[in-house]
Amino acid sequence: MRQVILDTETTGIDPKDGHRLVEIGAVEMINRRFTGRTYHQYINPERHIDAEVVAVHGIDDAKVANEPVFAEVADDFWAFIEGAELVIHNAPFDVGFIDHELGMLNKRRQAPALGPVRDHCRILDTLVMAREMHPGQRNNLDALCKRYDIDNGHRVLHGALLDAEILADVYLAMTGGQTALTLDADSGGDKKQQNQASEGLSVQRLSLAPGQLRVVRPSAEERAAHQAKCEAHQLRWFQESLDGTTADA
């Protein structure tokens, strides 16, 4: 299954008030493995960015003044997400802004229309999932990182690609973790290793060249001790079953 973990930054809270996208970040996973493909783009919103949101994501008018407008990047962005399951925290916010941008774009050009997102992508909202799993608790991204022991210490300001990468770790932890990470030889990305993640276990990203990961094997004494323990456990289970004391599996 192809999934795209996605986040956006904007000029304000509501596209109905004329607010626009200023940044999109997305990370691709296939069958719960990172492929190394990402999408990241700053966007000139063609309007002023509210000071309140600049304080959150650090993107001011000057930073995006020379970036492309959405119309110039829309086709590449759409090609990256189309047909995927989008994993988004508070999906109505991000999808609402994307559909708003696509709607304005479709009115101005003759090319085939893009969107709406829900007609072409499945949507998985991790905020809804978190509220179902942890009712009555804080379920923003920072709270989930703390709950699942995921390191987000480098997250001083919000950033779309950084938040997408952190959300990917959170999503894997919430849904049972991941044991391995491989990239295709032609992916062009850095190779990473993702430890299995579940509540109470730390998720760490390792940047290792092939052959650098040390494999620790048990000694002969450790193997013998393990075998003896297994045999003792089997003998105890057999004796308890004879006595009728073994609990249901």
Side-chain angles (χ1 to χ4, degrees):
M1 178 174 63
R2 179 172 179 265
Q3 295 175 297
V4 172
I5 297 82
L6 182 144
D7 186 65
T8 66
E9 303 297 345
T10 67
T11 64
I13 299 300
D14 195 335
K16 294 179 181 178
D17 295 330
H19 287 295
R20 307 283 302 274
L21 293 174
V22 295
E23 186 185 14
I24 302 171
V27 180
E28 183 185 64
M29 290 196 305
I30 295 180
N31 297 330
R32 296 177 61 82
R33 293 173 180 264
F34 294 97
T35 65
R37 292 187 67 217
T38 62
Y39 180 89
H40 182 240
Q41 182 65 59
Y42 289 109
I43 299 167
N44 183 338
E46 304 176 275
R47 60 151 291 156
H48 175 66
I49 305 173
D50 286 357
E52 293 83 358
V53 295
V54 173
V56 174
H57 55 52
I59 303 171
D60 58 17
D61 295 339
K63 186 168 184 175
V64 292
N66 297 317
E67 298 294 338
V69 299
F70 183 81
E72 296 176 280
V73 302
D75 289 303
D76 286 343
F77 169 62
W78 187 252
F80 191 85
I81 69 168
E82 186 178 16
E85 178 178 70
L86 302 184
V87 180
I88 308 174
H89 202 67
N90 191 17
F93 178 87
D94 301 88
V95 172
F97 268 95
I98 294 169
D99 280 344
H100 179 68
E101 295 282 359
L102 294 175
M104 291 192 298
L105 173 67
N106 291 333
K107 292 178 181 178
R108 296 197 303 262
R109 71 176 194 172
Q110 300 298 319
L114 303 180
V117 172
R118 290 186 182 275
D119 287 354
H120 299 268
C121 303
R122 297 177 303 279
I123 308 292
L124 191 157
D125 191 335
T126 51
L127 179 57
V128 172
M129 181 187 299
R131 286 171 174 168
E132 293 174 349
M133 294 173 66
H134 311 289
Q137 301 182 51
R138 290 175 57 101
N139 287 301
N140 61 33
L141 197 54
D142 287 334
L144 290 172
C145 285
K146 183 176 181 180
R147 186 171 302 141
Y148 288 97
D149 197 20
I150 293 171
D151 180 17
N152 68 337
H154 51 303
R155 185 176 182 256
V156 178
L157 294 173
H158 289 260
L161 184 57
L162 174 60
D163 281 1
E165 291 173 341
I166 292 173
L167 179 59
D169 290 339
V170 168
Y171 167 73
L172 290 171
M174 291 173 66
T175 56
Q178 171 176 319
T179 57
L181 178 68
T182 58
L183 303 178
D184 293 334
D186 297 332
S187 66
D190 293 331
K191 291 195 173 185
K192 301 174 183 177
Q193 181 76 22
Q194 178 75 35
N195 287 349
Q196 185 173 10
S198 60
E199 188 162 0
L201 296 181
S202 177
V203 176
Q204 298 179 350
R205 293 171 179 262
L206 304 179
S207 299
L208 298 175
Q212 279 191 311
L213 187 63
R214 186 165 63 94
V215 177
V216 179
R217 302 185 185 280
S219 65
E221 292 80 4
E222 289 170 332
R223 286 197 298 270
H226 175 71
Q227 182 64 30
K229 186 172 183 179
C230 290
E231 291 173 354
H233 176 75
Q234 291 172 347
L235 177 60
R236 186 180 65 181
W237 181 89
F238 179 70
Q239 291 172 337
E240 290 176 346
S241 66
L242 291 178
D243 295 335
T245 59
T246 302
D248 292 338

